[in-house]
Amino acid sequence: MRDCILISIKPVYAEAILNGVKTVEYRKCHFSSVIRKMLIYETSPLQKIVGEVFVREIIYGSPDYIWQTTGAYGGITKFEFYRYFKGKNVACAILLGKVHKYNVTKPLSDYGFARAPQSFIYM
């Protein structure tokens, strides 16, 4: 079972997750298996894996439902949220648990990847 993903996240949001400020990550996709852990790939300029976080739960629903349920914990504004989900009927909220920030960042090659995923990839 594929229960771990490598996920690409912009630096501002990666830092917010690692610092415990952002406890929900939003995505437009539907995961095909249970996700228990996410490796966080911080995008440009760092372009390294900076930590990992355990997944408490993944919920799906209309963008309105997801915002009402998780908006206070998502680390983005309501405007940014609705812009991201514009034209979508279903939103995904990944509820984050325990975070482990790596003392030494890791290159993708440590995990057998030559380039970062556009959104995420199963490990």
Side-chain angles (χ1 to χ4, degrees):
M1 179 179 268
R2 303 176 299 182
D3 66 350
C4 181
I5 58 173
L6 172 67
I7 194 162
S8 294
I9 301 179
K10 293 178 182 179
V12 65
Y13 302 124
E15 284 303 312
I17 290 170
L18 296 173
N19 293 328
V21 174
K22 180 176 171 57
T23 59
V24 176
E25 174 65 15
Y26 299 114
R27 293 290 152 149
K28 297 175 189 173
C29 57
H30 187 85
F31 297 99
S32 62
S33 63
V34 174
I35 306 300
R36 301 195 190 288
K37 185 167 70 169
M38 290 182 354
L39 297 181
I40 300 169
Y41 173 80
E42 187 175 308
T43 60
S44 186
L46 183 61
Q47 299 179 316
K48 299 274 180 119
I49 299 172
V50 295
E52 58 190 58
V53 61
F54 287 93
V55 175
R56 292 188 298 118
E57 184 180 2
I58 298 176
I59 58 175
Y60 300 94
S62 70
D64 289 337
Y65 171 76
I66 295 298
W67 178 257
Q68 291 169 4
T69 307
T70 66
Y73 312 102
I76 63 173
T77 67
K78 187 175 183 178
F79 175 79
E80 291 169 315
F81 177 88
Y82 280 100
R83 182 176 58 192
Y84 181 69
F85 285 110
K86 183 177 181 178
K88 300 293 182 184
N89 295 323
V90 177
C92 170
I94 305 168
L95 308 183
L96 307 175
K98 185 178 177 183
V99 176
H100 174 67
K101 183 177 182 176
Y102 295 160
N103 291 325
V104 177
T105 59
K106 301 176 182 184
L108 288 169
S109 59
D110 282 6
Y111 296 89
F113 296 106
R115 60 183 175 175
Q118 180 68 28
S119 178
F120 77 94
I121 191 167
Y122 291 100
M123 299 292 290

